[in-house]
Amino acid sequence: MNFKWSEEKVLLLKDKYSCSTNDELIALFPNKTFLAIYKKAYSLNLKRDEEIKFLNRSKAKSGKNASNWNGGVRRTSKGYIQILMSEHKRADKGGYVMEHIVVYEKATGIEVPRNCCIHHLNGIKNDNRIENLCMMTNSAHTIYHHTGQKRSEETRKRISESKRKKYE
């Protein structure tokens, strides 16, 4: 590793330090450790913008470094288990996917289409054993759960109206 700072590298550091994140600086100076970059900036009395400081702190405390990290597994308010798989087609903006979908797809080799869902046969939302899962169309799933329920005419109108608005 080259320990000396050339004049052009010092000028580049002076130019970029205040507006670059830690990752950007490491990419900019591939032959230097972050600690070496920080020490040089400190010796030159260089300061960071508050926004850059915030970005560095946020990145340092996200994912595996977060205080509430649970190994990429979380539970929804409705009791379902989600796992971190940001590369999955059904991942939410945080990168999490419903575990029962992943289990079903891995076990059967079938990708769950958008108009389908995975139903828990025993009704336990966190029991994601393959023998407890089956694929159903969304409409069949709704019919399954609502057959035999008594609803007033007013309630049925409200449900129909909300569905109509959803698809307009």
Side-chain angles (χ1 to χ4, degrees):
M1 217 180 260
N2 184 5
F3 295 105
K4 298 279 184 190
W5 283 83
S6 68
E7 192 60 38
E8 59 192 38
K9 295 281 186 190
V10 170
L11 290 173
L12 183 61
L13 181 64
K14 285 180 179 179
D15 183 46
K16 298 290 184 182
Y17 187 75
S18 67
C19 61
S20 299
T21 64
N22 293 348
D23 290 341
E24 292 168 342
L25 288 171
I26 290 168
L28 215 57
F29 302 101
N31 296 334
K32 303 285 184 189
T33 64
F34 177 71
L35 188 58
I37 296 168
Y38 174 77
K39 285 181 176 180
K40 187 63 176 178
Y42 184 83
S43 73
L44 297 168
N45 203 25
L46 300 177
K47 304 289 184 213
R48 290 290 210 14
D49 290 345
E50 289 303 314
E51 185 179 332
I52 298 298
K53 287 180 185 178
F54 174 78
L55 288 173
N56 287 330
R57 278 194 309 272
S58 297
K59 185 160 195 298
K61 293 182 180 181
S62 64
K64 292 178 182 172
N65 298 324
S67 60
N68 62 346
W69 176 251
N70 288 325
V73 178
R74 67 183 185 191
R75 197 175 285 256
T76 68
S77 59
K78 293 184 178 183
Y80 294 99
I81 297 172
Q82 292 183 311
I83 55 177
L84 185 62
M85 285 185 74
S86 52
E87 71 282 355
H88 196 279
K89 284 185 177 182
R90 286 198 174 202
D92 63 13
K93 65 182 179 182
Y96 284 85
V97 184
M98 295 292 191
E99 183 183 49
H100 54 275
I101 292 173
V102 175
V103 168
Y104 185 85
E105 288 179 345
K106 282 184 179 176
T108 63
I110 300 169
E111 185 179 313
V112 179
R114 281 281 172 198
N115 66 334
C116 292
C117 65
I118 302 301
H119 173 70
H120 291 87
L121 296 170
N122 66 3
I124 300 171
K125 297 172 182 177
N126 62 1
D127 182 358
N128 293 323
R129 295 171 296 128
I130 188 60
E131 55 269 16
N132 185 43
L133 303 175
C134 74
M135 183 165 47
M136 301 175 86
T137 63
N138 291 335
S139 57
H141 192 247
T142 301
I143 291 167
Y144 175 82
H145 280 289
H146 297 286
T147 298
Q149 288 192 357
K150 305 288 185 213
R151 291 198 171 96
S152 68
E153 190 62 37
E154 181 185 333
T155 302
R156 281 188 275 180
K157 283 181 183 177
R158 262 196 338 227
I159 290 169
S160 295
E161 206 171 291
S162 69
K163 283 183 179 178
R164 203 174 315 115
K165 286 180 183 177
K166 183 178 176 180
Y167 293 107
E168 286 180 350

